[in-house]
Amino acid sequence: MENSDSTSGEITAAFVNVSDVFTQYSEIPSTGFNVLYKAQRYGKWFVLKGLKPEFRNSAVHLQLLTKEFELGIRMSHPNIVQFFSKETDPVVGECIVMEYVDGVTLTEFLHKTTALRYRHRKIALQLLQAMAYYHGLQIVHRDLKPDNILISRNGNNVKIIDFGLGDSDSSAILKQPAGSPKYMAPEQLKGDVKIDARADLYSYAQILKQLCIGVDTQWLALRRACGQEDRNKRPADGAAALAFRSRRRESNAVLCELFLLSFIVFSIVIAFKHVMPVEPTQGQMDNGKTVVMHDTLYVQDTTTVNVPGTVVHDTVVQYKKAELTAEMTAFLKRESEIYWGTFDKEYQKYETRIKRLLNGEAGDIQADKKMYDALLAVYSDMCAKSTPHFDKDVVPALKKKYPDAQYVDMYDITTAYHQVTNQMMPEISQRLTDIYLAMGKYDK
């Protein structure tokens, strides 16, 4: 057997020279009393958070730095910046050593990036999950705002930073009111109220307004719940807010199913009334007049109906029933396929772009978004017009082609038609879902 060379090539001297002390300092612009530096150690970038020279001998500000480290070192979550150690550095002085995140603040992200709805929802969800995590550790951020949220360039993931004004149940110092005016909960302006996780949820509601997550009812409901002026009306903490959102999702799913069921039932009722000739029955009014009755009893001039022994049956029971022939079933199937085939024609216009997208090839995200919105609009419009189409086009065509169709149970006719519809709608919905998910895998 021949020897194989598994080496990866030469390693330069510059690569080998990995220092165990911080080097290559570069200051990161910051406001307030903190100073931030990006520095390298062990061939890896870190952020050093210390105090500006004029605050380095201040006992209060040193306590704040220590308190932030004690809060941060307890946390380990993918959407919260990682704390590593607290050290005394020759350049920065006493400082916290933290994870370096290559990204931009949420403020910059929203101003400079044309972000899609799916990305906004991802940010909203990651923020909520991170809050649920640190609230579970009895930690409150107290200064949650877009400037304290980083969005990574690689993957557009959330990283919550700056727990400098944070607090916890175990802390006994520095409990004064704190926060940023635009995002502070009303109770944070009061000095005699203990601030808890609900203050973060109020700030979160203000951030949701900027995320522009559309008309998604679960997020709108959550934003309203978290943004209540009265904190007793907000969820208790991040975990409760997550549970609230989960319940809204389940509720939305049930409503969608009920809507679909109502849609089918409505189609049956309307189509039945359009097709089936109603054989009238007669009943005697108290005044001796005879009134024609269908499936309901009519009252004339507010006179009470008195029809002893008369039983009003469901019209389905009153008429002859016959099995749909194979020809009629095939006819209904063709009509449904023709109707939903309109979406296929629209879909084929973008076939090349869709194949590229589904293959994971990054393209023009704005063009892809317009394509997705166009297809979604066609699908939504077709769903809305499906019942009128069935009533105005399919049923009359069926009666014209098959005169005996009027004696067939309308339930059977509607069921045969919707069996095809109920197969095609999920297929179209899945295609749209695939496009939506594929767009989320790349960013331009």
Side-chain angles (χ1 to χ4, degrees), residues 115-137:
L116 299 176
R117 286 191 298 271
Y118 73 82
R119 190 182 298 157
H120 284 170
R121 290 170 183 153
K122 173 183 175 181
I123 291 170
L125 181 57
Q126 288 186 353
L127 273 173
L128 189 55
Q129 290 170 335
M131 282 194 295
Y133 169 79
Y134 68 70
H135 286 165
L137 298 175

mmCIF file with all atom_site columns, all heavy atoms in Angstrom, residues 115-137:
data_model
loop_
_atom_site.group_PDB
_atom_site.id
_atom_site.type_symbol
_atom_site.label_atom_id
_atom_site.label_alt_id
_atom_site.label_comp_id
_atom_site.label_asym_id
_atom_site.label_entity_id
_atom_site.label_seq_id
_atom_site.pdbx_PDB_ins_code
_atom_site.Cartn_x
_atom_site.Cartn_y
_atom_site.Cartn_z
_atom_site.occupancy
_atom_site.B_iso_or_equiv
_atom_site.pdbx_formal_charge
_atom_site.auth_seq_id
_atom_site.auth_comp_id
_atom_site.auth_asym_id
_atom_site.auth_atom_id
_atom_site.pdbx_PDB_model_num
ATOM 1   N N   . ALA A 1 115 ? -34.850 43.590 5.722  1.00 0.00 ? 115 ALA A N   1
ATOM 2   C CA  . ALA A 1 115 ? -35.093 42.284 6.330  1.00 0.00 ? 115 ALA A CA  1
ATOM 3   C C   . ALA A 1 115 ? -36.492 41.788 5.995  1.00 0.00 ? 115 ALA A C   1
ATOM 4   O O   . ALA A 1 115 ? -37.436 42.554 5.946  1.00 0.00 ? 115 ALA A O   1
ATOM 5   C CB  . ALA A 1 115 ? -34.928 42.384 7.849  1.00 0.00 ? 115 ALA A CB  1
ATOM 6   N N   . LEU A 1 116 ? -36.597 40.497 5.771  1.00 0.00 ? 116 LEU A N   1
ATOM 7   C CA  . LEU A 1 116 ? -37.878 39.889 5.451  1.00 0.00 ? 116 LEU A CA  1
ATOM 8   C C   . LEU A 1 116 ? -38.641 39.532 6.713  1.00 0.00 ? 116 LEU A C   1
ATOM 9   O O   . LEU A 1 116 ? -38.085 39.446 7.796  1.00 0.00 ? 116 LEU A O   1
ATOM 10  C CB  . LEU A 1 116 ? -37.656 38.632 4.607  1.00 0.00 ? 116 LEU A CB  1
ATOM 11  C CG  . LEU A 1 116 ? -36.961 38.855 3.259  1.00 0.00 ? 116 LEU A CG  1
ATOM 12  C CD1 . LEU A 1 116 ? -36.719 37.526 2.580  1.00 0.00 ? 116 LEU A CD1 1
ATOM 13  C CD2 . LEU A 1 116 ? -37.792 39.749 2.363  1.00 0.00 ? 116 LEU A CD2 1
ATOM 14  N N   . ARG A 1 117 ? -39.945 39.267 6.521  1.00 0.00 ? 117 ARG A N   1
ATOM 15  C CA  . ARG A 1 117 ? -40.783 38.939 7.670  1.00 0.00 ? 117 ARG A CA  1
ATOM 16  C C   . ARG A 1 117 ? -40.290 37.710 8.410  1.00 0.00 ? 117 ARG A C   1
ATOM 17  O O   . ARG A 1 117 ? -40.305 37.653 9.627  1.00 0.00 ? 117 ARG A O   1
ATOM 18  C CB  . ARG A 1 117 ? -42.233 38.720 7.216  1.00 0.00 ? 117 ARG A CB  1
ATOM 19  C CG  . ARG A 1 117 ? -42.958 39.998 6.852  1.00 0.00 ? 117 ARG A CG  1
ATOM 20  C CD  . ARG A 1 117 ? -44.427 39.721 6.686  1.00 0.00 ? 117 ARG A CD  1
ATOM 21  N NE  . ARG A 1 117 ? -44.695 38.792 5.618  1.00 0.00 ? 117 ARG A NE  1
ATOM 22  C CZ  . ARG A 1 117 ? -44.895 39.131 4.357  1.00 0.00 ? 117 ARG A CZ  1
ATOM 23  N NH1 . ARG A 1 117 ? -44.858 40.394 4.017  1.00 0.00 ? 117 ARG A NH1 1
ATOM 24  N NH2 . ARG A 1 117 ? -45.145 38.226 3.435  1.00 0.00 ? 117 ARG A NH2 1
ATOM 25  N N   . TYR A 1 118 ? -39.841 36.694 7.653  1.00 0.00 ? 118 TYR A N   1
ATOM 26  C CA  . TYR A 1 118 ? -39.403 35.470 8.332  1.00 0.00 ? 118 TYR A CA  1
ATOM 27  C C   . TYR A 1 118 ? -38.195 35.755 9.214  1.00 0.00 ? 118 TYR A C   1
ATOM 28  O O   . TYR A 1 118 ? -38.043 35.182 10.286 1.00 0.00 ? 118 TYR A O   1
ATOM 29  C CB  . TYR A 1 118 ? -39.088 34.363 7.322  1.00 0.00 ? 118 TYR A CB  1
ATOM 30  C CG  . TYR A 1 118 ? -37.807 34.549 6.536  1.00 0.00 ? 118 TYR A CG  1
ATOM 31  C CD1 . TYR A 1 118 ? -36.580 34.182 7.081  1.00 0.00 ? 118 TYR A CD1 1
ATOM 32  C CD2 . TYR A 1 118 ? -37.827 35.102 5.269  1.00 0.00 ? 118 TYR A CD2 1
ATOM 33  C CE1 . TYR A 1 118 ? -35.412 34.364 6.374  1.00 0.00 ? 118 TYR A CE1 1
ATOM 34  C CE2 . TYR A 1 118 ? -36.667 35.273 4.553  1.00 0.00 ? 118 TYR A CE2 1
ATOM 35  C CZ  . TYR A 1 118 ? -35.454 34.907 5.100  1.00 0.00 ? 118 TYR A CZ  1
ATOM 36  O OH  . TYR A 1 118 ? -34.301 35.088 4.399  1.00 0.00 ? 118 TYR A OH  1
ATOM 37  N N   . ARG A 1 119 ? -37.333 36.677 8.802  1.00 0.00 ? 119 ARG A N   1
ATOM 38  C CA  . ARG A 1 119 ? -36.147 36.998 9.585  1.00 0.00 ? 119 ARG A CA  1
ATOM 39  C C   . ARG A 1 119 ? -36.547 37.777 10.840 1.00 0.00 ? 119 ARG A C   1
ATOM 40  O O   . ARG A 1 119 ? -36.004 37.571 11.909 1.00 0.00 ? 119 ARG A O   1
ATOM 41  C CB  . ARG A 1 119 ? -35.173 37.809 8.730  1.00 0.00 ? 119 ARG A CB  1
ATOM 42  C CG  . ARG A 1 119 ? -33.801 37.984 9.370  1.00 0.00 ? 119 ARG A CG  1
ATOM 43  C CD  . ARG A 1 119 ? -32.908 38.822 8.493  1.00 0.00 ? 119 ARG A CD  1
ATOM 44  N NE  . ARG A 1 119 ? -32.691 38.196 7.217  1.00 0.00 ? 119 ARG A NE  1
ATOM 45  C CZ  . ARG A 1 119 ? -32.341 38.871 6.113  1.00 0.00 ? 119 ARG A CZ  1
ATOM 46  N NH1 . ARG A 1 119 ? -32.200 40.171 6.159  1.00 0.00 ? 119 ARG A NH1 1
ATOM 47  N NH2 . ARG A 1 119 ? -32.150 38.242 4.973  1.00 0.00 ? 119 ARG A NH2 1
ATOM 48  N N   . HIS A 1 120 ? -37.512 38.675 10.694 1.00 0.00 ? 120 HIS A N   1
ATOM 49  C CA  . HIS A 1 120 ? -37.998 39.430 11.845 1.00 0.00 ? 120 HIS A CA  1
ATOM 50  C C   . HIS A 1 120 ? -38.586 38.487 12.888 1.00 0.00 ? 120 HIS A C   1
ATOM 51  O O   . HIS A 1 120 ? -38.377 38.650 14.078 1.00 0.00 ? 120 HIS A O   1
ATOM 52  C CB  . HIS A 1 120 ? -39.068 40.430 11.397 1.00 0.00 ? 120 HIS A CB  1
ATOM 53  C CG  . HIS A 1 120 ? -38.491 41.628 10.711 1.00 0.00 ? 120 HIS A CG  1
ATOM 54  N ND1 . HIS A 1 120 ? -39.278 42.543 10.059 1.00 0.00 ? 120 HIS A ND1 1
ATOM 55  C CD2 . HIS A 1 120 ? -37.222 42.072 10.572 1.00 0.00 ? 120 HIS A CD2 1
ATOM 56  C CE1 . HIS A 1 120 ? -38.519 43.508 9.557  1.00 0.00 ? 120 HIS A CE1 1
ATOM 57  N NE2 . HIS A 1 120 ? -37.270 43.232 9.851  1.00 0.00 ? 120 HIS A NE2 1
ATOM 58  N N   . ARG A 1 121 ? -39.360 37.507 12.434 1.00 0.00 ? 121 ARG A N   1
ATOM 59  C CA  . ARG A 1 121 ? -39.962 36.563 13.373 1.00 0.00 ? 121 ARG A CA  1
ATOM 60  C C   . ARG A 1 121 ? -38.895 35.721 14.061 1.00 0.00 ? 121 ARG A C   1
ATOM 61  O O   . ARG A 1 121 ? -39.030 35.382 15.240 1.00 0.00 ? 121 ARG A O   1
ATOM 62  C CB  . ARG A 1 121 ? -40.953 35.668 12.632 1.00 0.00 ? 121 ARG A CB  1
ATOM 63  C CG  . ARG A 1 121 ? -42.197 36.426 12.188 1.00 0.00 ? 121 ARG A CG  1
ATOM 64  C CD  . ARG A 1 121 ? -43.054 35.605 11.263 1.00 0.00 ? 121 ARG A CD  1
ATOM 65  N NE  . ARG A 1 121 ? -44.201 36.380 10.798 1.00 0.00 ? 121 ARG A NE  1
ATOM 66  C CZ  . ARG A 1 121 ? -44.816 36.173 9.651  1.00 0.00 ? 121 ARG A CZ  1
ATOM 67  N NH1 . ARG A 1 121 ? -44.390 35.226 8.846  1.00 0.00 ? 121 ARG A NH1 1
ATOM 68  N NH2 . ARG A 1 121 ? -45.849 36.903 9.300  1.00 0.00 ? 121 ARG A NH2 1
ATOM 69  N N   . LYS A 1 122 ? -37.852 35.396 13.333 1.00 0.00 ? 122 LYS A N   1
ATOM 70  C CA  . LYS A 1 122 ? -36.746 34.639 13.927 1.00 0.00 ? 122 LYS A CA  1
ATOM 71  C C   . LYS A 1 122 ? -36.107 35.451 15.041 1.00 0.00 ? 122 LYS A C   1
ATOM 72  O O   . LYS A 1 122 ? -35.829 34.922 16.128 1.00 0.00 ? 122 LYS A O   1
ATOM 73  C CB  . LYS A 1 122 ? -35.716 34.302 12.843 1.00 0.00 ? 122 LYS A CB  1
ATOM 74  C CG  . LYS A 1 122 ? -34.439 33.654 13.365 1.00 0.00 ? 122 LYS A CG  1
ATOM 75  C CD  . LYS A 1 122 ? -33.458 33.431 12.223 1.00 0.00 ? 122 LYS A CD  1
ATOM 76  C CE  . LYS A 1 122 ? -32.127 32.898 12.742 1.00 0.00 ? 122 LYS A CE  1
ATOM 77  N NZ  . LYS A 1 122 ? -31.156 32.690 11.650 1.00 0.00 ? 122 LYS A NZ  1
ATOM 78  N N   . ILE A 1 123 ? -35.865 36.734 14.796 1.00 0.00 ? 123 ILE A N   1
ATOM 79  C CA  . ILE A 1 123 ? -35.279 37.602 15.815 1.00 0.00 ? 123 ILE A CA  1
ATOM 80  C C   . ILE A 1 123 ? -36.205 37.697 17.022 1.00 0.00 ? 123 ILE A C   1
ATOM 81  O O   . ILE A 1 123 ? -35.769 37.580 18.172 1.00 0.00 ? 123 ILE A O   1
ATOM 82  C CB  . ILE A 1 123 ? -35.002 39.000 15.226 1.00 0.00 ? 123 ILE A CB  1
ATOM 83  C CG1 . ILE A 1 123 ? -33.865 38.927 14.198 1.00 0.00 ? 123 ILE A CG1 1
ATOM 84  C CG2 . ILE A 1 123 ? -34.663 40.000 16.328 1.00 0.00 ? 123 ILE A CG2 1
ATOM 85  C CD1 . ILE A 1 123 ? -33.677 40.203 13.405 1.00 0.00 ? 123 ILE A CD1 1
ATOM 86  N N   . ALA A 1 124 ? -37.501 37.902 16.769 1.00 0.00 ? 124 ALA A N   1
ATOM 87  C CA  . ALA A 1 124 ? -38.466 38.021 17.861 1.00 0.00 ? 124 ALA A CA  1
ATOM 88  C C   . ALA A 1 124 ? -38.487 36.756 18.713 1.00 0.00 ? 124 ALA A C   1
ATOM 89  O O   . ALA A 1 124 ? -38.527 36.827 19.946 1.00 0.00 ? 124 ALA A O   1
ATOM 90  C CB  . ALA A 1 124 ? -39.856 38.296 17.290 1.00 0.00 ? 124 ALA A CB  1
ATOM 91  N N   . LEU A 1 125 ? -38.436 35.595 18.055 1.00 0.00 ? 125 LEU A N   1
ATOM 92  C CA  . LEU A 1 125 ? -38.496 34.336 18.794 1.00 0.00 ? 125 LEU A CA  1
ATOM 93  C C   . LEU A 1 125 ? -37.217 34.100 19.586 1.00 0.00 ? 125 LEU A C   1
ATOM 94  O O   . LEU A 1 125 ? -37.263 33.680 20.756 1.00 0.00 ? 125 LEU A O   1
ATOM 95  C CB  . LEU A 1 125 ? -38.737 33.178 17.826 1.00 0.00 ? 125 LEU A CB  1
ATOM 96  C CG  . LEU A 1 125 ? -38.836 31.782 18.464 1.00 0.00 ? 125 LEU A CG  1
ATOM 97  C CD1 . LEU A 1 125 ? -39.942 31.742 19.507 1.00 0.00 ? 125 LEU A CD1 1
ATOM 98  C CD2 . LEU A 1 125 ? -39.057 30.719 17.400 1.00 0.00 ? 125 LEU A CD2 1
ATOM 99  N N   . GLN A 1 126 ? -36.051 34.364 18.989 1.00 0.00 ? 126 GLN A N   1
ATOM 100 C CA  . GLN A 1 126 ? -34.787 34.159 19.700 1.00 0.00 ? 126 GLN A CA  1
ATOM 101 C C   . GLN A 1 126 ? -34.681 35.089 20.905 1.00 0.00 ? 126 GLN A C   1
ATOM 102 O O   . GLN A 1 126 ? -34.180 34.686 21.968 1.00 0.00 ? 126 GLN A O   1
ATOM 103 C CB  . GLN A 1 126 ? -33.603 34.368 18.748 1.00 0.00 ? 126 GLN A CB  1
ATOM 104 C CG  . GLN A 1 126 ? -33.447 33.247 17.738 1.00 0.00 ? 126 GLN A CG  1
ATOM 105 C CD  . GLN A 1 126 ? -32.180 33.382 16.900 1.00 0.00 ? 126 GLN A CD  1
ATOM 106 O OE1 . GLN A 1 126 ? -31.465 34.383 16.972 1.00 0.00 ? 126 GLN A OE1 1
ATOM 107 N NE2 . GLN A 1 126 ? -31.904 32.368 16.097 1.00 0.00 ? 126 GLN A NE2 1
ATOM 108 N N   . LEU A 1 127 ? -35.152 36.325 20.758 1.00 0.00 ? 127 LEU A N   1
ATOM 109 C CA  . LEU A 1 127 ? -35.162 37.249 21.894 1.00 0.00 ? 127 LEU A CA  1
ATOM 110 C C   . LEU A 1 127 ? -36.012 36.697 23.032 1.00 0.00 ? 127 LEU A C   1
ATOM 111 O O   . LEU A 1 127 ? -35.605 36.714 24.208 1.00 0.00 ? 127 LEU A O   1
ATOM 112 C CB  . LEU A 1 127 ? -35.723 38.604 21.456 1.00 0.00 ? 127 LEU A CB  1
ATOM 113 C CG  . LEU A 1 127 ? -34.749 39.616 20.867 1.00 0.00 ? 127 LEU A CG  1
ATOM 114 C CD1 . LEU A 1 127 ? -35.511 40.823 20.338 1.00 0.00 ? 127 LEU A CD1 1
ATOM 115 C CD2 . LEU A 1 127 ? -33.727 40.049 21.903 1.00 0.00 ? 127 LEU A CD2 1
ATOM 116 N N   . LEU A 1 128 ? -37.179 36.202 22.682 1.00 0.00 ? 128 LEU A N   1
ATOM 117 C CA  . LEU A 1 128 ? -38.101 35.687 23.697 1.00 0.00 ? 128 LEU A CA  1
ATOM 118 C C   . LEU A 1 128 ? -37.524 34.454 24.386 1.00 0.00 ? 128 LEU A C   1
ATOM 119 O O   . LEU A 1 128 ? -37.630 34.297 25.607 1.00 0.00 ? 128 LEU A O   1
ATOM 120 C CB  . LEU A 1 128 ? -39.439 35.360 23.040 1.00 0.00 ? 128 LEU A CB  1
ATOM 121 C CG  . LEU A 1 128 ? -40.600 35.009 23.976 1.00 0.00 ? 128 LEU A CG  1
ATOM 122 C CD1 . LEU A 1 128 ? -40.823 36.110 25.001 1.00 0.00 ? 128 LEU A CD1 1
ATOM 123 C CD2 . LEU A 1 128 ? -41.867 34.766 23.167 1.00 0.00 ? 128 LEU A CD2 1
ATOM 124 N N   . GLN A 1 129 ? -36.890 33.579 23.614 1.00 0.00 ? 129 GLN A N   1
ATOM 125 C CA  . GLN A 1 129 ? -36.288 32.379 24.200 1.00 0.00 ? 129 GLN A CA  1
ATOM 126 C C   . GLN A 1 129 ? -35.141 32.740 25.147 1.00 0.00 ? 129 GLN A C   1
ATOM 127 O O   . GLN A 1 129 ? -34.985 32.124 26.210 1.00 0.00 ? 129 GLN A O   1
ATOM 128 C CB  . GLN A 1 129 ? -35.794 31.461 23.085 1.00 0.00 ? 129 GLN A CB  1
ATOM 129 C CG  . GLN A 1 129 ? -36.920 30.812 22.285 1.00 0.00 ? 129 GLN A CG  1
ATOM 130 C CD  . GLN A 1 129 ? -36.440 30.103 21.040 1.00 0.00 ? 129 GLN A CD  1
ATOM 131 O OE1 . GLN A 1 129 ? -35.383 30.435 20.497 1.00 0.00 ? 129 GLN A OE1 1
ATOM 132 N NE2 . GLN A 1 129 ? -37.201 29.144 20.563 1.00 0.00 ? 129 GLN A NE2 1
ATOM 133 N N   . ALA A 1 130 ? -34.338 33.739 24.760 1.00 0.00 ? 130 ALA A N   1
ATOM 134 C CA  . ALA A 1 130 ? -33.238 34.166 25.622 1.00 0.00 ? 130 ALA A CA  1
ATOM 135 C C   . ALA A 1 130 ? -33.764 34.781 26.917 1.00 0.00 ? 130 ALA A C   1
ATOM 136 O O   . ALA A 1 130 ? -33.236 34.527 28.011 1.00 0.00 ? 130 ALA A O   1
ATOM 137 C CB  . ALA A 1 130 ? -32.348 35.167 24.884 1.00 0.00 ? 130 ALA A CB  1
ATOM 138 N N   . MET A 1 131 ? -34.820 35.585 26.810 1.00 0.00 ? 131 MET A N   1
ATOM 139 C CA  . MET A 1 131 ? -35.413 36.177 28.012 1.00 0.00 ? 131 MET A CA  1
ATOM 140 C C   . MET A 1 131 ? -35.964 35.105 28.940 1.00 0.00 ? 131 MET A C   1
ATOM 141 O O   . MET A 1 131 ? -35.803 35.179 30.161 1.00 0.00 ? 131 MET A O   1
ATOM 142 C CB  . MET A 1 131 ? -36.518 37.162 27.632 1.00 0.00 ? 131 MET A CB  1
ATOM 143 C CG  . MET A 1 131 ? -36.007 38.506 27.147 1.00 0.00 ? 131 MET A CG  1
ATOM 144 S SD  . MET A 1 131 ? -37.331 39.750 27.111 1.00 0.00 ? 131 MET A SD  1
ATOM 145 C CE  . MET A 1 131 ? -38.390 39.049 25.871 1.00 0.00 ? 131 MET A CE  1
ATOM 146 N N   . ALA A 1 132 ? -36.643 34.113 28.356 1.00 0.00 ? 132 ALA A N   1
ATOM 147 C CA  . ALA A 1 132 ? -37.182 33.025 29.174 1.00 0.00 ? 132 ALA A CA  1
ATOM 148 C C   . ALA A 1 132 ? -36.060 32.328 29.928 1.00 0.00 ? 132 ALA A C   1
ATOM 149 O O   . ALA A 1 132 ? -36.224 31.941 31.097 1.00 0.00 ? 132 ALA A O   1
ATOM 150 C CB  . ALA A 1 132 ? -37.934 32.031 28.293 1.00 0.00 ? 132 ALA A CB  1
ATOM 151 N N   . TYR A 1 133 ? -34.886 32.215 29.285 1.00 0.00 ? 133 TYR A N   1
ATOM 152 C CA  . TYR A 1 133 ? -33.742 31.558 29.912 1.00 0.00 ? 133 TYR A CA  1
ATOM 153 C C   . TYR A 1 133 ? -33.213 32.369 31.102 1.00 0.00 ? 133 TYR A C   1
ATOM 154 O O   . TYR A 1 133 ? -33.111 31.858 32.219 1.00 0.00 ? 133 TYR A O   1
ATOM 155 C CB  . TYR A 1 133 ? -32.630 31.342 28.891 1.00 0.00 ? 133 TYR A CB  1
ATOM 156 C CG  . TYR A 1 133 ? -31.324 30.907 29.500 1.00 0.00 ? 133 TYR A CG  1
ATOM 157 C CD1 . TYR A 1 133 ? -31.127 29.586 29.889 1.00 0.00 ? 133 TYR A CD1 1
ATOM 158 C CD2 . TYR A 1 133 ? -30.289 31.816 29.704 1.00 0.00 ? 133 TYR A CD2 1
ATOM 159 C CE1 . TYR A 1 133 ? -29.930 29.178 30.465 1.00 0.00 ? 133 TYR A CE1 1
ATOM 160 C CE2 . TYR A 1 133 ? -29.083 31.420 30.272 1.00 0.00 ? 133 TYR A CE2 1
ATOM 161 C CZ  . TYR A 1 133 ? -28.920 30.099 30.653 1.00 0.00 ? 133 TYR A CZ  1
ATOM 162 O OH  . TYR A 1 133 ? -27.732 29.707 31.233 1.00 0.00 ? 133 TYR A OH  1
ATOM 163 N N   . TYR A 1 134 ? -32.903 33.648 30.880 1.00 0.00 ? 134 TYR A N   1
ATOM 164 C CA  . TYR A 1 134 ? -32.285 34.381 31.992 1.00 0.00 ? 134 TYR A CA  1
ATOM 165 C C   . TYR A 1 134 ? -33.302 34.767 33.063 1.00 0.00 ? 134 TYR A C   1
ATOM 166 O O   . TYR A 1 134 ? -32.941 34.926 34.225 1.00 0.00 ? 134 TYR A O   1
ATOM 167 C CB  . TYR A 1 134 ? -31.443 35.578 31.511 1.00 0.00 ? 134 TYR A CB  1
ATOM 168 C CG  . TYR A 1 134 ? -32.136 36.759 30.894 1.00 0.00 ? 134 TYR A CG  1
ATOM 169 C CD1 . TYR A 1 134 ? -32.926 37.620 31.641 1.00 0.00 ? 134 TYR A CD1 1
ATOM 170 C CD2 . TYR A 1 134 ? -31.926 37.085 29.544 1.00 0.00 ? 134 TYR A CD2 1
ATOM 171 C CE1 . TYR A 1 134 ? -33.518 38.741 31.080 1.00 0.00 ? 134 TYR A CE1 1
ATOM 172 C CE2 . TYR A 1 134 ? -32.521 38.195 28.975 1.00 0.00 ? 134 TYR A CE2 1
ATOM 173 C CZ  . TYR A 1 134 ? -33.315 39.019 29.744 1.00 0.00 ? 134 TYR A CZ  1
ATOM 174 O OH  . TYR A 1 134 ? -33.900 40.130 29.183 1.00 0.00 ? 134 TYR A OH  1
ATOM 175 N N   . HIS A 1 135 ? -34.573 34.881 32.666 1.00 0.00 ? 135 HIS A N   1
ATOM 176 C CA  . HIS A 1 135 ? -35.594 35.079 33.706 1.00 0.00 ? 135 HIS A CA  1
ATOM 177 C C   . HIS A 1 135 ? -35.687 33.843 34.603 1.00 0.00 ? 135 HIS A C   1
ATOM 178 O O   . HIS A 1 135 ? -35.962 33.955 35.806 1.00 0.00 ? 135 HIS A O   1
ATOM 179 C CB  . HIS A 1 135 ? -36.962 35.360 33.080 1.00 0.00 ? 135 HIS A CB  1
ATOM 180 C CG  . HIS A 1 135 ? -37.088 36.733 32.497 1.00 0.00 ? 135 HIS A CG  1
ATOM 181 N ND1 . HIS A 1 135 ? -38.103 37.094 31.634 1.00 0.00 ? 135 HIS A ND1 1
ATOM 182 C CD2 . HIS A 1 135 ? -36.321 37.851 32.663 1.00 0.00 ? 135 HIS A CD2 1
ATOM 183 C CE1 . HIS A 1 135 ? -37.956 38.360 31.289 1.00 0.00 ? 135 HIS A CE1 1
ATOM 184 N NE2 . HIS A 1 135 ? -36.881 38.842 31.902 1.00 0.00 ? 135 HIS A NE2 1
ATOM 185 N N   . GLY A 1 136 ? -35.452 32.681 34.020 1.00 0.00 ? 136 GLY A N   1
ATOM 186 C CA  . GLY A 1 136 ? -35.443 31.452 34.805 1.00 0.00 ? 136 GLY A CA  1
ATOM 187 C C   . GLY A 1 136 ? -34.320 31.420 35.820 1.00 0.00 ? 136 GLY A C   1
ATOM 188 O O   . GLY A 1 136 ? -34.397 30.681 36.815 1.00 0.00 ? 136 GLY A O   1
ATOM 189 N N   . LEU A 1 137 ? -33.281 32.234 35.604 1.00 0.00 ? 137 LEU A N   1
ATOM 190 C CA  . LEU A 1 137 ? -32.174 32.355 36.558 1.00 0.00 ? 137 LEU A CA  1
ATOM 191 C C   . LEU A 1 137 ? -32.389 33.528 37.515 1.00 0.00 ? 137 LEU A C   1
ATOM 192 O O   . LEU A 1 137 ? -31.471 33.904 38.240 1.00 0.00 ? 137 LEU A O   1
ATOM 193 C CB  . LEU A 1 137 ? -30.849 32.547 35.800 1.00 0.00 ? 137 LEU A CB  1
ATOM 194 C CG  . LEU A 1 137 ? -30.429 31.408 34.874 1.00 0.00 ? 137 LEU A CG  1
ATOM 195 C CD1 . LEU A 1 137 ? -29.165 31.793 34.097 1.00 0.00 ? 137 LEU A CD1 1
ATOM 196 C CD2 . LEU A 1 137 ? -30.187 30.131 35.660 1.00 0.00 ? 137 LEU A CD2 1
#
